[in-house]
Amino acid sequence: MKTLSDCVTAHIPAMQRRRRDLHHFAESGWVEFRTATLVAEELHRLGYQLALGRAVIDADARMGLPSEAVLAQQEQRALAQGALPQWLPSFSGGFCGIVATLDTGRPGPVMAFRVDMDALDQNESSAADHLPTREGFASCNAGMMHACAHDGHTTIGLTLASVLKEWAHQLSGTIKLIFQPAEEGVRGAKAMVAAGVVDDVDLFTAIHLGTGVPAGEIVCGSDSFLATTKLDVTFTGVGAHAGGNPEQGRNALLAAAQATLALHTLPQHSGGVARVNVGVLQAGTGRNVVPDCALMKVETRGVNNQVNDDIYQQAQRVIAGAAAMYGVDHAITLMGGARSCTPSPAWVAFIHQQAEALGLFRSVVDTKAQAAGSEDATYMMERVQQRGGQASYVIFGCDLAAGHHNARFDFDETVMATAVQTLATLALNQAQFGGAR
Ligand SMILES: O=C(O)C[C@H](NC(=O)Cc1c[nH]c2ccccc12)C(=O)O
């Protein structure tokens, strides 16, 4: 008899092709047009019931959306790169979300798996010893790179869809596969939650590859998420002749520079880890002009919602103070946010037990003290838990060529099969879980 392992193994060559295609055509948050059409086509082909675009993304709850002009231009770019025209209208305007449902017709819980699809706003290394460059699948889109393994996550989601279809006769309840846009900058999940996509979910699992967890290890209930707030700050001053009458100017560049230095002094909190990063700073228009404009892209983070909120409050004071020093106006726009979150112990214990039994891992742990990132899957987890469901966040350790968000980031593709087999096992053995509502 064909085992689950045989079944997953048969998918390995296709997984590598899929991942490398997605990697090559990397698409940043809210412009995952090509990716979303390919995902929709595959899920449709497999026979899943699809909910797309506006049906799964609340327009007003989207954060950090690019301008209309950028969205339109990116849609054209995606079309030229092979986006499927029949699916594109569903995602047009920045609605690249997909929820695929498989109703087994047998009673049981609603089980959801969430993967993300977006790349980062950064360039990929062109060094000859960077494997994606060497093998010809490095990103062809300037300023967009899969440097956080979401190409792998999307591939895992699609392969899981295929494998679960093959084993559908042994499943019960309902399977929901959630493909989320704009995780980077923590912008997309909130809009999917607002559209109600997890309101009926009993058992929720989000995943990530890598994150510094060693190959062969699985973290069954990662809880080291920093609460975070993302903000864009614009300073508006007055331009003037830099030689003739600089005193008539109001220098937005200096205000932004002061704010940047002051912001980076903030992360001190007795409540625990706090962070501030000014990741982008742009200012001025010309060498001999007193700069009348500046833009800062800023994030605050904290070990919990309270610490992040405190740092964010201070950040607002610093920004306002720097603006006042130079007599310039400022405006703050919220671009994203995520919360800290604790996975559900019973669901984590079940994942742990299933992972142990699989025998695929050298080490099975519940949590891990590690370099902390943020995740907007926490919005989904929180909603599921509020409604009486169980939620967890699973990390599959793997070898990395360089750290996340680095131009040389790459992950060992063999981890994808391990992830699919583990998630499929959770779905197949879900009836053994006693903790569902
Ligand atoms: O805040 C964001 O924009 C989300 C982004 N998320 C990730 O990088 C995923 C992630 C979650 N936990 C870890 C731990 C280490 C690396 C990456 C991660 C981050 O933290 O910058």
Side-chain angles (χ1 to χ4, degrees):
M1 204 191 87
K2 203 174 160 196
T3 63
L4 179 64
S5 172
D6 296 336
C7 172
V8 173
T9 302
H11 282 276
I12 288 175
M15 289 181 87
Q16 188 190 76
R17 279 196 302 277
R18 171 76 72 186
R19 180 261 162 165
R20 293 184 175 201
D21 174 74
L22 296 175
H23 191 91
H24 185 54
F25 294 104
E27 299 179 294
S28 289
W30 294 125
V31 301
E32 308 91 336
F33 296 112
R34 178 183 185 275
T35 307
T37 66
L38 299 181
V39 167
E41 174 65 19
E42 174 71 357
L43 295 168
H44 172 71
R45 189 186 68 78
L46 289 167
Y48 279 77
Q49 183 197 321
L50 298 189
L52 307 174
R54 288 171 191 270
V56 295
I57 292 183
D58 182 295
D60 298 334
R62 293 176 298 172
M63 291 188 284
L65 201 70
S67 67
E68 292 286 330
V70 168
L71 288 169
Q73 176 219 326
Q74 286 297 321
E75 219 175 294
Q76 291 311 309
R77 189 263 318 143
L79 263 180
Q81 293 179 342
L84 302 171
Q86 65 271 34
W87 296 106
L88 201 51
S90 305
F91 306 120
S92 188
F95 291 92
C96 299
I98 300 130
V99 178
T101 304
L102 177 67
D103 183 351
T104 66
R106 283 176 287 276
V110 178
M111 221 182 156
F113 297 96
R114 174 276 204 172
V115 294
D116 42 19
M117 303 187 288
D118 59 315
L120 282 136
D121 296 337
Q122 66 180 93
N123 292 313
E124 182 152 12
S125 170
S126 56
D129 61 347
H130 177 55
L131 186 128
T133 301
R134 198 168 68 231
E135 304 264 320
F137 68 94
S139 175
C140 64
N141 289 327
M144 305 190 201
M145 174 193 174
H146 274 296
C148 205
H150 299 189
D151 48 347
H153 302 167
T154 304
T155 303
I156 289 165
L158 287 176
T159 310
L160 178 65
S162 187
V163 169
L164 290 181
K165 226 18 217 190
E166 288 171 59
W167 289 72
H169 57 286
Q170 295 199 21
L171 293 168
S172 56
T174 300
I175 306 284
K176 262 184 141 175
L177 303 174
I178 301 171
F179 292 79
Q180 184 206 306
E183 186 276 334
E184 301 298 348
V186 286
R187 297 169 290 164
K190 197 177 186 182
M192 295 192 94
V193 170
V197 307
V198 295
D199 285 356
D200 61 348
V201 173
D202 302 300
L203 301 170
F204 176 90
T205 308
I207 62 156
H208 211 297
L209 300 178
T211 78
V213 174
E217 181 161 300
I218 180 173
V219 183
C220 302
S222 181
D223 60 357
S224 58
F225 299 116
L226 299 178
T228 184
T229 303
K230 317 293 188 190
L231 50 149
D232 279 3
V233 186
T234 54
F235 294 95
T236 307
V238 178
H241 193 292
N245 27 38
E247 73 285 356
Q248 290 176 8
R250 291 283 179 271
N251 196 318
L253 180 152
L254 289 177
Q258 283 285 355
T260 299
L261 291 173
L263 282 167
H264 276 259
T265 67
L266 292 183
Q268 300 162 72
H269 201 293
S270 63
V273 167
R275 302 251 195 274
V276 174
N277 190 50
V278 179
V280 173
L281 178 55
Q282 294 162 347
T285 55
R287 187 187 311 279
N288 55 358
V289 182
V290 173
D292 67 349
C293 58
L295 166 70
M296 290 194 310
K297 297 192 179 191
V298 186
E299 59 173 21
T300 64
R301 307 201 197 214
V303 66
N304 54 38
N305 299 331
Q306 185 62 54
V307 170
N308 179 56
D309 288 347
D310 288 350
I311 300 292
Y312 176 57
Q313 293 303 325
Q314 288 191 57
Q316 286 176 290
R317 283 200 294 276
V318 161
I319 291 161
M325 277 175 78
Y326 292 93
V328 306
D329 293 331
H330 80 284
I332 296 177
T333 310
L334 280 182
M335 301 300 284
R339 311 180 53 79
S340 54
C341 186
T342 308
S344 312
W347 185 232
V348 175
F350 181 74
I351 297 170
H352 189 122
Q353 174 231 321
Q354 293 292 316
E356 289 269 9
L358 263 177
L360 291 173
F361 301 99
R362 231 182 324 107
S363 163
V364 179
V365 299
D366 286 351
T367 61
K368 198 168 179 78
Q370 62 170 154
S374 304
E375 248 295 351
D376 61 357
T378 50
Y379 281 120
M380 296 182 178
M381 295 168 71
E382 199 172 64
R383 178 64 149 244
V384 169
Q385 290 172 338
Q386 277 165 1
R387 299 180 65 94
Q390 308 249 337
S392 191
Y393 191 94
V394 176
I395 299 177
F396 296 94
C398 63
D399 289 332
L400 303 175
H404 291 256
H405 303 196
N406 184 286
R408 285 168 171 266
F409 177 84
D410 187 31
F411 65 91
D412 179 354
E413 291 164 334
T414 59
V415 71
M416 295 191 291
T418 308
V420 171
Q421 193 173 337
T422 307
L423 300 178
T425 299
L426 294 181
L428 285 162
N429 294 349
Q430 151 276 121
Q432 297 167 21
F433 177 61
R437 65 178 153 183

